Amino acid sequence: MSMIKKILIANRGEIACRVIRTARELGIETVAVYSDADLNAMHVELADQAVHIGAAPVGESYLLGDRIIDAAKRTGADAIHPGYGFLSENPDFVDAVAKAGLIFIGPSADAIRAMGLKDKAKALMEKAGVPVVPGYHGDNQDANFLAKQANEIGYPVLIKARAGGGGKGMRLVEKPADFANALASAQREAQSSFGDPACLIEKFIQNPRHIEMQVMGDAHGNVIHLFERDCSMQRRHQKVIEEAPAPDMPEDVRQAMGAAAVAAAKAVNYQGAGTVEFIVDGSGPLRPDGFWFMEMNTRLQVEHPVTEEITGFDLVAMQIAVAEGQALPVTQDQITATGHAFEVRLYAEDPSNGFLPATGTLDILVFPTADNGVRVDTGVRQGDVISPHYDPMIAKLIVTGPNRNAALLKMSKALEELVVHGCVTNRAFLSALVIDADFAAGRVDTGLIDRKGADLTARPDPTAQTLALAALAAVRPADAEDPFANFRLWGAARQVVTFEGDPNISIFVETIASETNVTTPLGEVTFSAVLRNGPELWVEENGVKSRAIVHKTGHGVLVQTAGHDRFFKFFDPSASASSGKAGALTAPMPGNVIAVVAKAGDSVSEGDRLLVMEAMKMEHAITAAQDGVIAEMLVSEGDQVEQGALLVRMQEDE
């Protein structure tokens, strides 16, 4: 097979940029595809060529395989890399690529079909001798029949879309009374995300850990694994932090799991990069008979960088080599792991509001220095827009250290240096998670985040010092060329800064002799030294020097200290205050209304479900904030609404 000279990447964002980076190193040209929303996206800028393929919705652009193949032909590409998501696990697309005379950088359509439906895949794995979780994996989708199966399996059970992935179409059910609603919700989400509403029912493993094996196969029948990744830190079945190797992984368990993963891949004559995911009994020490096959992802995973960091292999380069027909460059006994790696996913989402996805413009985006074991994979830059059309991931931070503790400390430091403003993110949540006592000790399971959610998502109230730092940032020049940038705060004897609040926050800054006094509503703060150098603000208080990261915009000041950040908006007396209607319920995020449960005239109680919205292919129930009677339902099923749009109006008390 001839060498690949030009690759079209049938994807966008971070993974498209990731593939382009390796292709450049190999001397291979690249072609990007883009929608209306991605006209000025980073992956378009990095590629050698770019082709417009349609409107912003994925169904009108990135899911149109014929347009992508046509773009490859028009640009002279001889191969297509699917990335992950979109068409990466669509066997019909793989067939169409081959029919067009192009190389698909991934597994065969037959392998994808064999592993694409969870029920069929589990039957195949049982035949191959790979352990599987007890459950019902058949074709009968009658709701009463599935409820009966759940009773026989024994609660708690897990409903899973058979064509699913990424936590979509998955529901944990702890008692029979909740089964019917959970099944209906999972089926709707599965239909929306995968075009297939069918679900399977599995026994839910108590204290589960999610450990997966990276595999790679070639066209010559060789299959290897590149050790494991622990992806137990999840919320709503979506991964938050991944690490390699898994904490407290005994060597005999690693060998047994690796052998099972290789057997799974060989059962479908697997070629390319893939991941075999296992559910693991985490109630005690890991054991060779305590893990079960969940599914195989027939593509590159989001978390593949942690494997690259500990093994030294470029998995994208290996994918390309295998697609060219080359044999794997190493045998199993030649693969070694060194050190420990973590990856965190920075998302535009609101942890304090159920992790609802967020949108906005990245007014400030400063990544930690990409050296000394810190790697940043991203597809956005400062000034880019996080839109409601695509996954809200902003970047992945990957760190590597000689051991787990060292890598964890490095990750904590990297998150402190990361600055993002313009949309709500999970940065502070990630900072809290990496220093959590259980996580730091390696006591991980898939329920840890849910158990500690309140602590991990808590936002501390601002202190007098935080207010003082905000005021100093507001009056202090940030330009390093300013001749006074690194000296004590001079200027006006007394300055006042007012931020929006309820009531507004007025802060007075005054320099007297050698001291800077800041008077805030929470008390007075005295600094014996104040130094400003770009985004760094150093202050000395009671003989202790400390650093904050500050950014001043035209609207206010961002202050970031000890993992937490807060934006203080300048008070504008000329702006008219706006307030929402009393008794009105608004959309917490942009999305589609997929179900309306209540209607005008209904009496509802606090917590009752009123309607269901879908955002980023995930369902979100909108519930009553208080007891009352619905005066008007302002939306209908199928409506698309923006964040803050009025959904429901309640009757006002007489």
Side-chain angles (χ1 to χ4, degrees):
M1 188 179 293
S2 61
M3 295 288 289
I4 293 172
K5 296 180 176 61
K6 183 183 287 189
I7 296 173
L8 180 142
I9 300 106
N11 219 296
R12 64 175 300 281
E14 174 269 323
I15 186 57
C17 296
R18 163 74 188 88
V19 174
I20 291 171
R21 185 172 68 246
T22 287
R24 273 184 177 174
E25 292 174 356
L26 297 174
I28 299 173
E29 291 185 63
T30 56
V31 180
V33 292
Y34 65 94
S35 70
D36 289 348
D38 282 337
L39 174 64
N40 298 310
M42 181 187 287
H43 74 281
V44 175
E45 179 182 290
L46 292 178
D48 296 294
Q49 293 175 284
V51 179
H52 176 255
I53 55 170
V58 294
E60 301 175 37
S61 51
Y62 293 106
L63 291 181
L64 298 179
D66 55 343
R67 292 191 187 179
I68 291 171
I69 291 171
D70 177 67
K73 288 181 175 180
R74 284 195 285 136
T75 55
D78 43 21
I80 292 179
H81 194 299
Y84 47 69
F86 294 149
L87 296 171
S88 62
E89 294 181 282
N90 185 317
D92 294 336
F93 177 64
V94 178
D95 283 336
V97 170
K99 186 177 180 180
L102 303 170
I103 298 170
F104 182 76
I105 303 178
S108 67
D110 289 342
I112 295 174
R113 287 191 177 97
M115 289 299 192
L117 297 179
K118 289 182 172 64
D119 51 354
K120 299 295 190 292
K122 294 196 178 197
L124 181 63
M125 291 301 97
E126 284 184 298
K127 186 176 180 181
V130 179
V132 300
V133 178
Y136 175 73
H137 308 136
D139 294 325
N140 191 334
Q141 292 296 299
D142 178 75
N144 292 328
F145 174 81
L146 292 177
K148 182 179 178 182
Q149 296 301 309
N151 287 332
E152 292 180 1
I153 294 167
Y155 286 88
V157 298
L158 203 59
I159 301 173
K160 299 172 71 173
R162 71 176 182 179
K168 298 179 179 69
M170 186 182 295
R171 299 291 185 275
L172 171 62
V173 189
E174 301 192 43
K175 56 182 184 292
D178 297 335
F179 185 84
N181 284 338
L183 176 64
S185 178
Q187 289 172 333
R188 283 196 305 269
E189 199 165 83
Q191 177 65 44
S192 172
S193 298
F194 314 110
D196 181 359
C199 293
L200 51 87
I201 315 297
E202 288 183 348
K203 178 68 178 174
F204 180 72
I205 306 301
Q206 301 288 349
N207 299 313
R209 287 176 64 177
H210 179 139
I211 301 177
E212 59 190 31
M213 279 279 171
Q214 176 71 57
V215 296
M216 186 76 68
D218 63 22
H220 307 280
N222 303 308
V223 179
I224 57 173
H225 71 79
L226 292 96
F227 306 119
E228 79 280 359
R229 298 185 289 257
D230 195 310
C231 306
S232 299
M233 302 307 290
Q234 302 179 9
R235 52 95 188 153
R236 294 185 66 179
H237 307 293
Q238 290 194 316
K239 299 164 187 173
V240 176
I241 298 181
E242 302 95 356
E243 62 180 301
D248 301 323
M249 170 69 93
E251 187 57 35
D252 61 340
V253 179
R254 176 176 290 117
Q255 291 183 9
M257 196 176 290
V262 169
K266 285 187 174 181
V268 293
N269 299 313
Y270 198 81
Q271 298 176 31
T275 301
V276 182
E277 301 192 346
F278 296 98
I279 191 77
V280 182
D281 183 357
S283 60
L286 303 187
R287 60 185 197 277
D289 63 347
F291 65 87
W292 301 272
F293 173 86
M294 283 199 304
E295 63 181 329
M296 183 174 186
N297 289 299
T298 51
R299 53 172 168 78
L300 198 65
Q301 291 279 84
V302 177
E303 59 272 19
H304 76 273
V306 294
T307 296
E308 294 182 324
E309 294 301 313
I310 67 166
T311 63
F313 290 104
D314 183 325
L315 296 185
V316 174
M318 292 180 77
Q319 283 185 297
I320 294 170
V322 166
E324 290 177 332
Q326 299 181 40
L328 291 172
V330 290
T331 57
Q332 189 66 61
D333 58 1
Q334 294 175 314
I335 303 171
T336 58
T338 303
H340 202 100
F342 285 97
E343 173 185 288
V344 301
R345 305 184 187 192
L346 178 69
Y347 274 99
E349 62 184 11
D350 188 355
S352 63
N353 191 22
F355 292 94
L356 290 179
T359 58
T361 300
L362 297 170
D363 297 322
I364 302 172
L365 183 62
V366 181
F367 291 118
T369 305
D371 58 12
N372 192 30
V374 178
R375 166 179 166 181
V376 178
D377 284 12
T378 187
V380 295
R381 303 145 299 191
Q382 183 166 294
D384 284 352
V385 174
I386 302 299
S387 82
H389 299 291
Y390 311 117
D391 185 90
M393 187 170 71
I394 297 172
K396 303 182 307 194
L397 267 63
I398 306 100
V399 301
T400 309
N403 54 58
R404 190 174 189 272
N405 287 339
L408 204 54
L409 289 171
K410 192 173 292 185
M411 178 62 80
S412 182
K413 182 67 173 176
L415 285 167
E416 285 188 10
E417 293 181 358
L418 170 68
V419 183
V420 56
H421 174 67
C423 60
V424 182
T425 77
N426 65 340
R427 190 200 66 84
F429 164 75
L430 294 171
S431 288
L433 189 53
V434 299
I435 62 173
D436 174 78
D438 285 326
F439 181 64
R443 295 188 294 268
V444 297
D445 66 78
T446 58
L448 187 148
I449 290 176
D450 287 339
R451 290 195 304 274
K452 297 190 169 188
D455 292 335
L456 294 172
T457 59
R459 285 180 58 84
D461 293 331
T463 64
Q465 188 187 61
T466 307
L467 294 177
L469 293 170
L472 290 174
V475 301
R476 187 66 162 170
D479 189 349
E481 295 179 1
D482 187 287
F484 299 102
N486 291 318
F487 292 91
R488 212 174 301 280
L489 182 70
W490 302 108
R494 185 176 175 87
Q495 295 171 277
V496 61
V497 180
T498 303
F499 297 114
E500 283 189 2
D502 187 17
N504 290 330
I505 305 167
S506 292
I507 304 171
F508 299 89
V509 181
E510 188 173 19
T511 299
I512 302 174
S514 61
E515 292 183 339
T516 299
N517 295 324
V518 184
T519 304
T520 82
L522 299 179
E524 186 172 290
V525 181
T526 300
F527 297 120
S528 56
V530 176
L531 303 176
R532 176 76 187 272
N533 185 11
E536 290 190 338
L537 180 62
W538 285 90
V539 294
E540 183 173 337
E541 183 181 9
N542 297 324
V544 178
K545 291 183 179 179
S546 58
R547 184 193 73 149
I549 295 175
V550 294
H551 285 267
K552 180 181 176 182
T553 73
H555 303 290
V557 174
L558 177 70
V559 178
Q560 187 165 303
T561 58
H564 293 284
D565 57 78
R566 187 173 295 273
F567 187 76
F568 296 91
K569 188 176 181 180
F570 292 131
F571 170 65
D572 182 0
S574 65
S576 60
S578 62
S579 60
K581 288 185 178 180
L585 193 65
T586 58
M589 73 285 183
N592 297 319
V593 178
I594 62 172
V596 176
V597 180
K599 62 183 183 302
D602 285 354
S603 295
V604 296
S605 301
E606 181 180 350
D608 284 354
R609 178 182 292 208
L610 304 183
L611 55 92
V612 180
M613 288 183 60
E614 180 189 67
M616 310 296 185
K617 295 295 184 183
M618 298 291 284
E619 288 190 7
H620 306 276
I622 306 300
T623 60
Q626 60 193 31
D627 297 349
V629 177
I630 296 177
E632 189 177 5
M633 179 64 70
L634 300 168
V635 292
S636 303
E637 186 173 321
D639 287 353
Q640 184 167 354
V641 298
E642 294 298 322
Q643 183 172 350
L646 290 175
L647 304 175
V648 181
R649 185 171 61 82
M650 304 295 291
Q651 288 186 9
E652 296 183 10
D653 294 335
E654 295 182 0

mmCIF file of all heavy atoms in Angstrom, residues 583 597-604 609-610 624 627-634 647-651:
data_model
loop_
_atom_site.group_PDB
_atom_site.id
_atom_site.type_symbol
_atom_site.label_atom_id
_atom_site.label_comp_id
_atom_site.label_asym_id
_atom_site.label_seq_id
_atom_site.Cartn_x
_atom_site.Cartn_y
_atom_site.Cartn_z
ATOM 1 N N GLY A 583 -42.273 34.973 39.341
ATOM 2 C CA GLY A 583 -42.985 33.742 39.044
ATOM 3 C C GLY A 583 -42.701 33.186 37.674
ATOM 4 O O GLY A 583 -43.458 32.354 37.172
ATOM 5 N N VAL A 597 -44.424 18.454 29.816
ATOM 6 C CA VAL A 597 -45.152 17.560 30.715
ATOM 7 C C VAL A 597 -46.370 18.250 31.313
ATOM 8 O O VAL A 597 -47.421 17.629 31.503
ATOM 9 C CB VAL A 597 -44.224 17.051 31.836
ATOM 10 C CG1 VAL A 597 -44.972 16.119 32.777
ATOM 11 C CG2 VAL A 597 -43.010 16.353 31.237
ATOM 12 N N ALA A 598 -46.252 19.546 31.636
ATOM 13 C CA ALA A 598 -47.334 20.272 32.298
ATOM 14 C C ALA A 598 -48.002 21.238 31.327
ATOM 15 O O ALA A 598 -47.520 21.479 30.217
ATOM 16 C CB ALA A 598 -46.788 21.023 33.507
ATOM 17 N N LYS A 599 -49.133 21.798 31.763
ATOM 18 C CA LYS A 599 -49.865 22.736 30.915
ATOM 19 C C LYS A 599 -50.469 23.828 31.781
ATOM 20 O O LYS A 599 -50.506 23.737 33.020
ATOM 21 C CB LYS A 599 -50.955 22.023 30.136
ATOM 22 C CG LYS A 599 -52.025 21.387 30.988
ATOM 23 C CD LYS A 599 -53.034 20.637 30.128
ATOM 24 C CE LYS A 599 -54.174 20.047 30.964
ATOM 25 N NZ LYS A 599 -53.709 19.132 32.004
ATOM 26 N N ALA A 600 -50.950 24.883 31.140
ATOM 27 C CA ALA A 600 -51.571 25.994 31.859
ATOM 28 C C ALA A 600 -52.745 25.485 32.694
ATOM 29 O O ALA A 600 -53.542 24.660 32.238
ATOM 30 C CB ALA A 600 -52.038 27.057 30.875
ATOM 31 N N GLY A 601 -52.806 25.981 33.935
ATOM 32 C CA GLY A 601 -53.871 25.571 34.834
ATOM 33 C C GLY A 601 -53.487 24.464 35.789
ATOM 34 O O GLY A 601 -54.187 24.219 36.782
ATOM 35 N N ASP A 602 -52.383 23.774 35.522
ATOM 36 C CA ASP A 602 -51.935 22.688 36.400
ATOM 37 C C ASP A 602 -51.419 23.241 37.721
ATOM 38 O O ASP A 602 -50.707 24.257 37.752
ATOM 39 C CB ASP A 602 -50.815 21.879 35.746
ATOM 40 C CG ASP A 602 -51.340 20.959 34.653
ATOM 41 O OD1 ASP A 602 -52.572 20.881 34.494
ATOM 42 O OD2 ASP A 602 -50.499 20.329 33.971
ATOM 43 N N SER A 603 -51.787 22.565 38.816
ATOM 44 C CA SER A 603 -51.184 22.858 40.116
ATOM 45 C C SER A 603 -49.945 22.007 40.265
ATOM 46 O O SER A 603 -49.988 20.783 40.044
ATOM 47 C CB SER A 603 -52.176 22.542 41.246
ATOM 48 O OG SER A 603 -53.290 23.400 41.187
ATOM 49 N N VAL A 604 -48.814 22.621 40.600
ATOM 50 C CA VAL A 604 -47.553 21.898 40.689
ATOM 51 C C VAL A 604 -46.895 22.169 42.033
ATOM 52 O O VAL A 604 -47.161 23.179 42.692
ATOM 53 C CB VAL A 604 -46.586 22.300 39.550
ATOM 54 C CG1 VAL A 604 -47.163 21.916 38.200
ATOM 55 C CG2 VAL A 604 -46.289 23.790 39.589
ATOM 56 N N ARG A 609 -41.559 17.933 37.587
ATOM 57 C CA ARG A 609 -41.032 18.099 36.235
ATOM 58 C C ARG A 609 -42.079 18.801 35.372
ATOM 59 O O ARG A 609 -43.227 18.361 35.284
ATOM 60 C CB ARG A 609 -40.688 16.731 35.652
ATOM 61 C CG ARG A 609 -40.178 16.767 34.221
ATOM 62 C CD ARG A 609 -39.902 15.399 33.698
ATOM 63 N NE ARG A 609 -38.761 14.785 34.370
ATOM 64 C CZ ARG A 609 -37.972 13.886 33.814
ATOM 65 N NH1 ARG A 609 -38.174 13.492 32.579
ATOM 66 N NH2 ARG A 609 -36.974 13.365 34.492
ATOM 67 N N LEU A 610 -41.667 19.889 34.712
ATOM 68 C CA LEU A 610 -42.575 20.656 33.867
ATOM 69 C C LEU A 610 -42.312 20.427 32.380
ATOM 70 O O LEU A 610 -43.240 20.352 31.585
ATOM 71 C CB LEU A 610 -42.453 22.151 34.181
ATOM 72 C CG LEU A 610 -42.675 22.554 35.651
ATOM 73 C CD1 LEU A 610 -42.592 24.061 35.790
ATOM 74 C CD2 LEU A 610 -43.997 22.028 36.173
ATOM 75 N N ALA A 624 -40.322 22.706 38.682
ATOM 76 C CA ALA A 624 -40.930 23.860 39.343
ATOM 77 C C ALA A 624 -40.045 24.327 40.491
ATOM 78 O O ALA A 624 -39.576 23.521 41.297
ATOM 79 C CB ALA A 624 -42.315 23.493 39.864
ATOM 80 N N ASP A 627 -44.117 25.801 44.807
ATOM 81 C CA ASP A 627 -45.505 25.374 44.658
ATOM 82 C C ASP A 627 -46.298 26.478 43.971
ATOM 83 O O ASP A 627 -46.028 27.678 44.168
ATOM 84 C CB ASP A 627 -46.136 25.096 46.028
ATOM 85 C CG ASP A 627 -45.443 23.956 46.765
ATOM 86 O OD1 ASP A 627 -44.624 23.265 46.129
ATOM 87 O OD2 ASP A 627 -45.718 23.753 47.954
ATOM 88 N N GLY A 628 -47.297 26.086 43.169
ATOM 89 C CA GLY A 628 -48.126 27.094 42.533
ATOM 90 C C GLY A 628 -48.941 26.538 41.394
ATOM 91 O O GLY A 628 -49.030 25.322 41.202
ATOM 92 N N VAL A 629 -49.522 27.449 40.638
ATOM 93 C CA VAL A 629 -50.359 27.094 39.494
ATOM 94 C C VAL A 629 -49.754 27.715 38.237
ATOM 95 O O VAL A 629 -49.368 28.889 38.233
ATOM 96 C CB VAL A 629 -51.802 27.591 39.686
ATOM 97 C CG1 VAL A 629 -52.652 27.279 38.447
ATOM 98 C CG2 VAL A 629 -52.422 26.978 40.931
ATOM 99 N N ILE A 630 -49.660 26.935 37.173
ATOM 100 C CA ILE A 630 -49.094 27.431 35.921
ATOM 101 C C ILE A 630 -50.101 28.353 35.238
ATOM 102 O O ILE A 630 -51.243 27.962 34.949
ATOM 103 C CB ILE A 630 -48.732 26.267 34.989
ATOM 104 C CG1 ILE A 630 -47.628 25.402 35.624
ATOM 105 C CG2 ILE A 630 -48.281 26.784 33.627
ATOM 106 C CD1 ILE A 630 -47.268 24.190 34.806
ATOM 107 N N ALA A 631 -49.680 29.589 35.011
ATOM 108 C CA ALA A 631 -50.534 30.543 34.310
ATOM 109 C C ALA A 631 -50.423 30.378 32.806
ATOM 110 O O ALA A 631 -51.412 30.477 32.072
ATOM 111 C CB ALA A 631 -50.169 31.974 34.709
ATOM 112 N N GLU A 632 -49.192 30.105 32.342
ATOM 113 C CA GLU A 632 -48.979 30.011 30.902
ATOM 114 C C GLU A 632 -47.735 29.177 30.608
ATOM 115 O O GLU A 632 -46.689 29.369 31.222
ATOM 116 C CB GLU A 632 -48.822 31.425 30.324
ATOM 117 C CG GLU A 632 -48.809 31.482 28.816
ATOM 118 C CD GLU A 632 -48.726 32.902 28.292
ATOM 119 O OE1 GLU A 632 -48.578 33.832 29.117
ATOM 120 O OE2 GLU A 632 -48.797 33.087 27.061
ATOM 121 N N MET A 633 -47.871 28.215 29.699
ATOM 122 C CA MET A 633 -46.727 27.467 29.192
ATOM 123 C C MET A 633 -46.323 28.143 27.895
ATOM 124 O O MET A 633 -47.074 28.160 26.915
ATOM 125 C CB MET A 633 -47.097 26.005 28.946
ATOM 126 C CG MET A 633 -45.961 25.165 28.396
ATOM 127 S SD MET A 633 -44.537 24.987 29.518
ATOM 128 C CE MET A 633 -45.228 23.924 30.793
ATOM 129 N N LEU A 634 -45.137 28.728 27.884
ATOM 130 C CA LEU A 634 -44.728 29.618 26.799
ATOM 131 C C LEU A 634 -43.973 28.926 25.672
ATOM 132 O O LEU A 634 -43.578 29.569 24.697
ATOM 133 C CB LEU A 634 -43.864 30.751 27.375
ATOM 134 C CG LEU A 634 -44.573 31.622 28.424
ATOM 135 C CD1 LEU A 634 -43.580 32.510 29.142
ATOM 136 C CD2 LEU A 634 -45.658 32.449 27.775
ATOM 137 N N LEU A 647 -39.855 30.316 29.797
ATOM 138 C CA LEU A 647 -40.452 29.020 29.490
ATOM 139 C C LEU A 647 -41.854 28.889 30.071
ATOM 140 O O LEU A 647 -42.775 28.429 29.399
ATOM 141 C CB LEU A 647 -39.569 27.897 30.042
ATOM 142 C CG LEU A 647 -38.112 27.857 29.599
ATOM 143 C CD1 LEU A 647 -37.370 26.763 30.343
ATOM 144 C CD2 LEU A 647 -38.021 27.652 28.094
ATOM 145 N N VAL A 648 -41.988 29.236 31.354
ATOM 146 C CA VAL A 648 -43.242 29.038 32.081
ATOM 147 C C VAL A 648 -43.525 30.287 32.918
ATOM 148 O O VAL A 648 -42.608 30.850 33.525
ATOM 149 C CB VAL A 648 -43.159 27.809 33.015
ATOM 150 C CG1 VAL A 648 -44.482 27.603 33.744
ATOM 151 C CG2 VAL A 648 -42.769 26.555 32.232
ATOM 152 N N ARG A 649 -44.782 30.697 32.941
ATOM 153 C CA ARG A 649 -45.184 31.782 33.832
ATOM 154 C C ARG A 649 -46.164 31.243 34.852
ATOM 155 O O ARG A 649 -47.129 30.556 34.499
ATOM 156 C CB ARG A 649 -45.821 32.927 33.042
ATOM 157 C CG ARG A 649 -46.154 34.155 33.890
ATOM 158 C CD ARG A 649 -46.574 35.338 33.015
ATOM 159 N NE ARG A 649 -47.758 35.033 32.233
ATOM 160 C CZ ARG A 649 -49.018 35.100 32.703
ATOM 161 N NH1 ARG A 649 -49.226 35.455 33.972
ATOM 162 N NH2 ARG A 649 -50.031 34.822 31.936
ATOM 163 N N MET A 650 -45.876 31.506 36.112
ATOM 164 C CA MET A 650 -46.727 31.037 37.204
ATOM 165 C C MET A 650 -47.728 32.118 37.588
ATOM 166 O O MET A 650 -47.469 33.312 37.432
ATOM 167 C CB MET A 650 -45.875 30.680 38.424
ATOM 168 C CG MET A 650 -44.769 29.654 38.162
ATOM 169 S SD MET A 650 -45.394 28.030 37.704
ATOM 170 C CE MET A 650 -46.128 27.529 39.266
ATOM 171 N N GLN A 651 -48.889 31.681 38.099
ATOM 172 C CA GLN A 651 -49.865 32.640 38.593
ATOM 173 C C GLN A 651 -49.324 33.336 39.831
ATOM 174 O O GLN A 651 -48.716 32.708 40.690
ATOM 175 C CB GLN A 651 -51.179 31.929 38.945
ATOM 176 C CG GLN A 651 -51.969 31.465 37.738
ATOM 177 C CD GLN A 651 -53.313 30.894 38.134
ATOM 178 O OE1 GLN A 651 -53.725 30.991 39.283
ATOM 179 N NE2 GLN A 651 -54.003 30.277 37.168
#
